[in-house]
Structures are given as structure tokens and as C-alpha cells.
Amino acid sequence: MDQFKYISPKTKEETLKILKEKRVNACIVAGCTNVLPDIKIKKISPKILVDITAIQELRGIDKKKDKICIGPLTTIAELINSELILKESKILIQAAEEFADPLVRNNATIGGNLVTASPAADMAVPLLTLDAFIKIESAREKREVKLKEFFLGPGKTVLQDDEMIVGIEFEPSDINKKGYFIKLGQRKAMAIAIASVAVNLEVKQNKISQIRVAAGSVAPIPIRLTGVEKFLANKAISNKLVEKAVNRVREEVEPISDIRASEEYRRYISGTLFKRAFNKLTN
Amino acid sequence: MKKLEIEFTINGKKRSLSVKPNDLLINIIRNDLFLTGSKYGCGIGECGACTVLLNGEPVLSCLTLAATVDGKEITTIEGLAKGGKLHPMQIAFLKNAAVQCGFCTPSMILTATALLKENPNPTEDEIRDYMRGNICRCTGYVQIVKAIEEYAHGEKTN
Ligand SMILES: Cc1cc2nc3c(=O)[nH]c(=O)nc-3n(C[C@H](O)[C@H](O)[C@H](O)COP(=O)(O)OP(=O)(O)OC[C@H]3O[C@@H](n4cnc5c(N)ncnc54)[C@H](O)[C@@H]3O)c2cc1C
Ligand code: FES
Ligand code: FES
């Protein structure tokens, strides 16, 4: 494996200072489950690894005032075991249970999953329907970005060289409690999604008062299907409506063909996954 | 390259080592500490053969930098037997012929002990789900699941 320096800062401030000074030469690592394989295949060759796992304030899941706050170092295993997440956003637990295997989940972090910006990122899809936003810091400034504006392309995000994620937040609300996530892979364990769909829904008197739909592996980034959402808003639920929405999902996604599936199949199956998730939430 | 001094506990013993920043935990365990029960399979997190317990949790030592285990506690398969007596999970594997070539066995046994710590009474589906990242190329899964079930559901052999 390539050579690199290793530093393990104990505080956020120390980390931001290192990022400011070293810029492109420094690479943050958390669970290492993306970074180490990438170094091995020489996709990246960082000069310095900045291990942030010792920074306690970036861990943990809390309810603060009107926000659910997830530290970026929270592992996928910790999400699965969180009572608060189970109560406020069960959809995240569903996605976490589909994630890799228990061994990878003990190291892989939610922050690392988002920054990797894979079109298939399993945590990104449900966080999109939770309307999550990302708290970002550098030595220069603090800012907040909506998750749906965070991804720019495969492997690309709005993060600058000197910035890091310090929190992932969403509102505790009725719609966030009612969600459903489905991932289709070639097999159950260790499979990257062929397609995945998340739906969060609020129904009042058989009418859709609010709906959020997101999909993974069907576009260059994990996306919200806002066309479908607009189409469904304030409509009375019927089989006919669902069939129409399924067709709209198939039109709105922008998949490609790759080793896992063809474009046509992805288009078709994302509609079907949407229908399954929607029916789960309404039956 | 500048070496880093780390200190950790492995199978109950304190150890200090100097490691290179790019040393993987699996290589330190096998090449420096001569604990060759943990295996290097794929090296990219896919096979589970390199599983060790880190602070009691099963993790992949091929995706763990040695530098990151400073101050932590590691258990490898060599640490399960106590006073010359096999761990009951090891006995259950032997009794159920859950071992063929043996390459996956150390990792299977460690992951199985972690499963039972989290969930002492797992169903067959729960066992298969938890063990899903540990691959056995001799495909001895039926016996492996049987061994874990037998150990979990009381017929504890000593
Ligand atoms: C065998 C295997 C199976 C996998 N299965 C899945 C799967 O089913 N679903 C899935 O979505 N992914 C999967 N992955 C990919 C990977 O495990 C996840 O993306 C994981 O969440 C990455 O987190 P990490 O902490 O390991 O990231 P790292 O590898 O430590 O870092 C990843 C990237 O994030 C950056 N980073 C990390 N934290 C921060 C922060 N706080 N601020 C700024 N930048 C940061 C790093 O600089 C790096 O660029 C799998 C990987 C492996 C090896
Ligand atoms: S060698 Fe670590 S998972 Fe295969
Ligand atoms: S016994 Fe040979 S790989 Fe499992």
C-alpha cells in the first residue's frame, strides 16, 4: 500500500486547523471502509490521513430542541441500535439493516457514507426523504446545506478541501416517522443497490397531505423525485393514482446501464419499488 | 517512514509495538504477533476471513489501520480457549462438523460469539443474517448454522 502520514487529532478545532494548512494533501478518515480500498486500488493517494474517530463531539444521536442530531461518526451499527432513531425515523433503520454486513457496519459511518457520494449510498436515500440537512465547518466559517443540494456528481459534493461534516440533522415530525425504504440488490448480503427507493408520507382523510420520494442508483447522485411528489400532493389515494405515479417515477429517473443492470430494467424496477413502498405505507 | 508507538491489549495481554502508518491490523496480528488464526482473504472487506473482535465487536482487520487500535482491546481466535480448554463455540463447531478446510473457521467462530452476546436466543434467520459477511468457500453453511443453533439453544457442550 502507498505510504502516508497518520494523525489522530482529539478535537474539531485541531482538525480544522490541519485541513486549513494541508488542504488537498490531507484526507479525513472515519471508518476507513471506503478510503482503504480506494488507496489499495490507487484510486486516491493521500499524503496524510486525518483520523477523526477520537473526536467525541462528532459521535452520538441526540434530540436537541426541535432537531434530531446525528454525529457524522455515528456508525451504521449504532443507528440500528438507537431507540430515538427507531421512534423518529424508522426508515433509517430499515436502510441500515440492508447495509453491507454486521462487520462493515461496526466501522462504516454515516458521515463517510454521505461524503463518498455514491449514487447508491444507502444512508443518503432515506436521509433525502427525511429532508435532512448537513452542518459543515471549516476554520473560515460554519454553514448548513440541504442534503438535496449536497451532492454534485458521483464522488463529488459541495465540501471544500478545508471543510468537514460536523452534524446531520432533521426535524422530528409525523411525516418523518412514517417512511419506507426498499433496496434491490443481486443478493441480500454485501450487494450494492441496483436501485433503491425511499418514501415518506403523510395522509389526512385519504388525501396525501405531504409526500417525499427519493431514489438511489438511478441517477448520477441519490435524488429526490420532485416531479412525482408534486403530482401526488393533495390528491386522494386510489389505485389509478398509484399506477399513474409509478409511470411518472419511471419517466423521472435517469439511470444508466452498468454491470449490475440495464437502464431499462432500472427504470422499470424503480417504479415497481415505489409502488411497493407506497402500498406498505397506505395498507 | 516515521513509525508510531501504539499500545493495546490482545487476548488479555498488553502489547506495545511500533507500526508504520500504513500497516494494516491483519498484517500486524499475523506477521508481528504470529497469531496466524486470523486469515487474509480478499483484503477489501468482502469475505470476512480477517474478522477480529475490537472492544468486543467483530470488525474486519483488513480494513483497519494498526495505528487506530491504540488503547483498544483485541480478541483473536487464539484468545477464546481458556486454560487449555476450548471455548464451547469451538466445541460446537467440531461436534457439528462445521469445519472443512478451516480457512473461514476462526472468523466464523468469533462472529458467532459476538452474535450470541447481542442476541442470546437467535432464530435460524437471525443467525444467517448476522453471519452474512463471513463467507465459507467450502460451503459448509448448514453445519455452521447448526453449530451456532446448538450452542445457543442450550445443548452446551463442555
Ligand atoms: C465490503 C463493503 C460493503 C459495503 N456495503 C455498502 C452498502 O451496502 N451500502 C453503502 O451505502 N455503502 C457500502 N459500502 C461503502 C462504505 O462502507 C460506506 O460508504 C461507509 O458508510 C463509509 O463510511 P466510512 O466511515 O468507512 O468512510 P471512510 O472510508 O472513512 O471515508 C469515506 C470518505 O468520507 C470522508 N469523510 C468521512 N467522514 C467525514 C466527515 N465527517 N467530514 C468530511 N469528510 C468525511 C473521507 O475523507 C472519505 O473521502 C461498503 C463498503 C465495503 C468495503
Ligand atoms: S480479508 Fe478482510 S474481508 Fe476479506
Ligand atoms: S471451511 Fe473452508 S472456507 Fe469455510
Side-chain angles (χ1 to χ4, degrees), chain A residues 36-67:
Chain A
L36 284 182
D38 283 353
I39 293 177
K40 277 190 190 166
I41 61 165
K42 299 198 188 295
K43 189 171 153 192
I44 55 171
S45 42
K47 299 274 180 297
I48 306 163
L49 291 194
V50 185
D51 177 3
I52 57 171
T53 53
I55 306 174
Q56 287 311 319
E57 66 181 299
L58 300 181
R59 290 189 177 279
I61 305 166
D62 283 310
K63 191 168 181 171
K64 284 185 200 141
K65 280 193 245 157
D66 52 350
K67 297 275 182 315

Side-chain angles (χ1 to χ4, degrees), chain B residues 39-50 60-63:
Chain B
K39 305 296 185 227
Y40 190 100
C42 65
I44 51 166
E46 303 274 350
C47 75
C50 63
L60 301 169
S61 61
C62 76
L63 292 188

Side-chain angles (χ1 to χ4, degrees), chain A residues 1-4 6 31-33 36-37 40 49 51 97-107 188-190, chain B residues 1 4 21-22 24 40 43 45-46 48 51 57-60 62-65 67-68 111 129-130 132-135:
Chain A
M1 210 164 42
D2 274 356
Q3 296 195 358
F4 45 76
Y6 171 89
C32 290
T33 61
L36 284 182
K40 277 190 190 166
L49 291 194
D51 177 3
E97 284 174 340
E98 296 286 330
F99 193 104
D101 62 40
L103 310 166
V104 175
R105 285 181 214 152
N106 280 335
N107 276 346
K188 198 158 180 249
M190 310 301 283
Chain B
M1 204 178 351
L4 304 158
N22 64 352
L24 294 172
Y40 190 100
E46 303 274 350
T51 305
E57 287 178 354
V59 300
L60 301 169
C62 76
L63 292 188
T64 305
L65 289 172
T68 64
T111 306
D129 193 51
Y130 197 91
R132 71 198 216 179
N134 292 86
I135 291 175

Side-chain angles (χ1 to χ4, degrees), chain A residues 65-263:
Chain A
K65 280 193 245 157
D66 52 350
K67 297 275 182 315
I68 306 298
C69 311
I70 304 178
L73 288 180
T74 305
T75 62
I76 310 304
E78 285 163 353
L79 280 176
I80 292 178
N81 292 324
S82 164
E83 299 277 329
L84 186 61
I85 294 297
L86 181 68
K87 181 166 160 264
E88 298 291 346
S89 53
K90 196 167 161 214
I91 192 168
L92 271 184
I93 295 192
Q94 280 183 317
E97 284 174 340
E98 296 286 330
F99 193 104
D101 62 40
L103 310 166
V104 175
R105 285 181 214 152
N106 280 335
N107 276 346
T109 66
I110 188 166
N113 193 244
L114 295 180
V115 179
T116 302
S118 155
D122 281 328
M123 291 298 114
V125 181
L127 282 170
L128 278 170
T129 59
L130 294 171
D131 247 353
F133 51 94
I134 307 301
K135 298 183 80 168
I136 298 173
E137 283 188 30
S138 65
R140 292 173 288 118
E141 64 165 353
K142 294 183 186 187
R143 59 181 181 132
E144 267 179 30
V145 179
K146 285 188 182 143
L147 181 60
K148 61 180 170 191
E149 287 154 14
F150 180 74
F151 302 113
L152 298 178
K156 289 206 192 77
T157 71
V158 301
L159 279 188
Q160 305 286 314
D161 297 337
D162 63 343
E163 288 183 319
M164 70 191 287
I165 295 188
V166 297
I168 296 145
E169 301 190 346
F170 56 86
E171 280 178 7
S173 62
D174 285 346
I175 180 165
N176 281 347
K177 288 192 179 74
K178 209 170 169 207
Y180 204 85
F181 173 83
I182 305 182
K183 168 176 171 179
L184 180 75
Q186 281 170 325
R187 64 186 191 113
K188 198 158 180 249
M190 310 301 283
I192 299 175
I194 290 171
S196 61
V197 169
V199 180
N200 273 81
L201 177 71
E202 193 183 67
V203 179
K204 284 188 184 143
Q205 284 139 3
N206 201 41
K207 252 180 144 180
I208 298 172
S209 52
Q210 255 200 94
I211 183 160
R212 304 190 200 126
V213 185
S217 297
V218 295
I221 55 173
I223 50 165
R224 274 280 286 270
L225 301 178
T226 46
V228 178
E229 294 176 5
K230 283 206 188 90
F231 169 74
L232 286 169
N234 299 314
K235 295 220 165 83
I237 298 173
S238 69
N239 286 342
K240 225 167 139 190
L241 181 78
V242 178
E243 285 310 322
K244 279 192 186 154
V246 166
N247 286 332
R248 289 200 176 229
V249 170
R250 291 178 179 147
E251 283 163 20
E252 197 173 343
V253 294
E254 316 156 30
I256 53 164
S257 298
D258 66 11
I259 47 163
R260 283 184 290 282
S262 67
E263 183 207 324

Side-chain angles (χ1 to χ4, degrees), chain B residues 72-111:
Chain B
K72 295 190 180 159
E73 209 181 297
I74 301 165
T75 306
T76 66
I77 191 70
E78 289 87 350
L80 283 195
K82 290 274 168 331
K85 266 193 149 177
L86 290 181
H87 185 281
M89 187 67 84
Q90 292 173 308
I91 295 171
F93 267 61
L94 283 174
K95 238 184 95 188
N96 286 280
V99 180
Q100 292 184 50
C101 80
F103 197 83
C104 70
T105 312
S107 70
M108 289 285 176
I109 290 177
L110 287 170
T111 306

